[in-house]
Amino acid sequence: MQSVIEQTRTALQTADRILIGAGAGMGVDSGLPDFRGNEGFWKAYPPFKESGLSFQDLANPRWFDVDSPRAWGFYGHRLNLYRETQPHAGFTRLLQFLRSQRKDFFVFTSNVDGHFQRAGYPIERMVECHGSIHHLQCIVDCENEIWENDCEIEVDESFRAGGTLPSCPKCELLARPNILMFGDFGWNASRSTEQEKRFQSWLTASTVPITALEFGAGTAIPSVRMECEAHSDTLIRVNPRESDGHPGTISIPLGAREAIERIVSF
């Protein structure tokens, strides 16, 4: 392992442009639940085990139409959890390294928790490809608008929301998180599209090779893995379970926080 860490340090020290990729595994060390498989999801949400509902079942926009307290119970709990949880120290340690070494970097993440922003990463250097729970949109996208989510959601022990649910300020219909869900044809992608445009500009602004440093991105929904593979000349994949990659990949089978602490401790 030490030789791999040394190889990684050398790759990052000599890199001028770094793409930071992050999947759900990036947040596990902050104390966020691991939804890997139904058992992991049901451990975090026991009431849904009784009804046999998986993460994919619940992360579906149809619930906002058929059972809005259940929909906002699920997403309201996640919103409260993300607000209450502090990003682990690895976020800050990595940013300190990037800034101290004057690295040109961009973040591509499938996470909707907003923890990169809270740790100080500039939003103009970030793609949240699945949206953000900290932003809302109208359930029917009446004015094609997205606004910040400053709502307080009350969630009971059965993960159902009570009180007044978020509503659209224009048409007063129900509001929903600006998150790309499963089977979602109503997601307003304009915010993420603007982020994608900035990312593409960054990619094409220079011919200098890119080193991708990828954390906790799995194969079930491989958005982050595909981006890091497609746009890197050197790929460093940090994942305790799925760290393998194409030939030449630097594979680090560790959690994100431990890997960062070992990699940038120079």
Side-chain angles (χ1 to χ4, degrees), residues 167-178:
S167 61
C168 173
K170 298 298 176 78
C171 71
E172 299 185 351
L173 290 177
L174 188 70
R176 52 161 279 186
N178 182 233

Side-chain angles (χ1 to χ4, degrees), residues 7 53 66 100 152 176 200 238:
Q7 183 184 7
L53 293 171
V66 302
S100 67
E152 299 293 332
R176 52 161 279 186
Q200 291 302 317
V238 179

Side-chain angles (χ1 to χ4, degrees), residues 45-114:
Y45 294 92
F48 296 135
K49 183 175 184 178
E50 299 174 8
S51 53
L53 293 171
S54 67
F55 175 82
Q56 186 167 337
D57 292 329
L58 269 299
N60 189 302
R62 73 183 184 90
W63 291 107
F64 289 94
D65 293 318
V66 302
D67 192 344
S68 55
R70 166 164 278 178
W72 265 115
F74 175 62
Y75 280 103
H77 177 266
R78 293 178 65 192
L79 172 66
N80 296 335
L81 179 65
Y82 296 155
R83 284 173 172 170
E84 295 165 0
T85 303
Q86 292 296 319
H88 62 74
F91 281 90
T92 302
R93 186 70 186 90
L94 178 59
L95 182 60
Q96 290 172 341
F97 163 75
L98 294 169
R99 286 177 169 168
S100 67
Q101 300 296 312
R102 299 182 182 277
K103 300 298 185 181
D104 182 14
F105 70 91
F106 216 100
V107 175
F108 188 99
T109 181
S110 59
N111 297 336
V112 301
D113 53 32

Side-chain angles (χ1 to χ4, degrees), residues 97-170:
F97 163 75
L98 294 169
R99 286 177 169 168
S100 67
Q101 300 296 312
R102 299 182 182 277
K103 300 298 185 181
D104 182 14
F105 70 91
F106 216 100
V107 175
F108 188 99
T109 181
S110 59
N111 297 336
V112 301
D113 53 32
H115 278 193
F116 274 100
Q117 295 95 307
R118 286 181 58 188
Y121 291 75
I123 188 62
E124 63 271 14
R125 286 298 183 103
M126 190 180 311
V127 175
E128 297 164 293
C129 66
H130 293 165
S132 168
I133 202 167
H134 302 292
H135 290 79
L136 298 175
Q137 67 171 85
C138 176
I139 193 173
V140 296
D141 201 20
C142 67
E143 296 285 343
N144 193 36
E145 291 186 3
I146 298 170
W147 63 96
E148 290 191 16
N149 184 0
D150 58 2
C151 298
E152 299 293 332
I153 310 296
E154 301 174 8
V155 182
D156 65 22
E157 294 181 356
S158 64
F159 294 99
R160 294 185 68 83
T164 303
L165 300 180
S167 61
C168 173
K170 298 298 176 78

Side-chain angles (χ1 to χ4, degrees), residues 11-20 98 102-106 125 198-213 231-234:
L12 292 178
Q13 283 180 313
T14 57
D16 292 314
R17 307 177 79 209
I18 298 178
L19 172 60
I20 307 297
L98 294 169
R102 299 182 182 277
K103 300 298 185 181
D104 182 14
F105 70 91
F106 216 100
R125 286 298 183 103
R198 291 194 291 269
F199 180 46
Q200 291 302 317
S201 295
W202 180 77
L203 289 172
T204 59
S206 173
T207 58
V208 173
I210 294 174
T211 295
L213 181 55
H231 301 300
S232 63
D233 299 273
T234 300

